[in-house]
Amino acid sequence: MSGRPVTGPAARLRSGGRGPGLEGQVVVVTGAARGIGELLARKLSARGARLALVGLEPDRLRDVCSRLHTEGAWWHADVTDADAMARVAAEAAERFGRVDAVVANAGVALGGTFADADPALTAWRRVVEVNLIGSAITCRAFLPALLTSRGYFLQIASLAAVVPVPLMTAYCAAKSGVEAFAHSLRAEVGHRGVRVGVGYLSWTDTDMVRGADEDAVMRELRQRLPWPANRTYPPGPAVERIVTGVERRSAQVYGQWWLRGTLPVRGAFPALTGLAAVREMRRFEGRLRRVSRGLVGAGGAADEAERAPEKGAVTGGGTDGGTGGSPATG
């Protein structure tokens, strides 16, 4: 269905300006059922944006949608399914009349050494598929709408795109990939009025990070990182910065203030990490094979459940015909 007319600051944003305000803007958020995506949806809604939520957990998506300040709809879809995401993009554009911004936030992670991964790299591949291929599929599905609205695409990356760390080869590879993808995309579509941003986050208190911390080796290795990379940060301030990034259509968004300083010196990190890791891997060598090699956290469990043999092929879900009217909480 068509959205209501947009005027004032939102109209300036729609036309490619950098004016303040998200009132009436239509924002798509993937991985919206929990964690960063859930909180981001609520905070965007509190600033007046209308939300199209995409994820794998229908009950949670329905709940998030019901607690928005503004109009919202949700779709049960796997971001790695191109047909499903094309259907979501078409239905979202039909429902809201346009799409102004897309936040590619969906992601999964796993731990363990690469040498101990199964020979088929099943879980390893899935991390790359969701984080990298899924982001590209999301962008491709919504790019026609963003070209029409002269909109904004924000790719959520990670400190893992800048600093390689052991036991996270798949996640580091995927996040490095999405960072490069977003930078290249920006160069392709900037002249057509579409802005592209990359969001960088350090360890943030989400189901994914808590799930990784359930493994003692992963938790201890992370705690031994140098400050401030060894801290777990509350999600609220990071998500506020992401919301501001969407509002301003920023090229870079830093979930934690100190991440800005890592990019100018990123060239030194691989060598430094490699040197430090020699000592750390020797320290933990006898325990490395016991590190869980499945997807971590509740989001990882939801992804594995979605692909369980009894579910058959993964397909996109439908929309929730209702709108969110009650205030978000928390």
Side-chain angles (χ1 to χ4, degrees), residues 170-183:
Y171 194 74
C172 289
K175 290 303 187 180
S176 297
V178 295
E179 180 195 39
F181 165 70
H183 289 325

Side-chain angles (χ1 to χ4, degrees), residues 162-250:
V162 181
V163 182
V165 293
L167 306 191
M168 294 179 60
T169 55
Y171 194 74
C172 289
K175 290 303 187 180
S176 297
V178 295
E179 180 195 39
F181 165 70
H183 289 325
S184 183
L185 179 69
R186 181 187 300 124
E188 289 187 11
V189 299
H191 72 289
R192 301 182 68 179
V194 176
R195 299 195 180 188
V196 178
V198 181
Y200 299 91
L201 283 82
S202 185
W203 306 95
T204 306
D205 189 15
T206 62
D207 291 320
M208 180 186 292
V209 172
R210 288 191 295 271
D213 278 353
E214 290 177 2
D215 188 288
V217 173
M218 294 288 290
R219 182 177 63 253
E220 291 173 37
L221 271 172
R222 188 164 70 83
Q223 291 170 345
R224 292 178 63 81
L225 291 172
W227 184 89
N230 60 352
R231 286 189 54 197
T232 299
Y233 294 86
V239 173
E240 286 286 356
R241 293 185 176 99
I242 296 172
V243 171
T244 301
V246 174
E247 188 175 40
R248 296 177 178 176
R249 299 188 172 190
S250 302

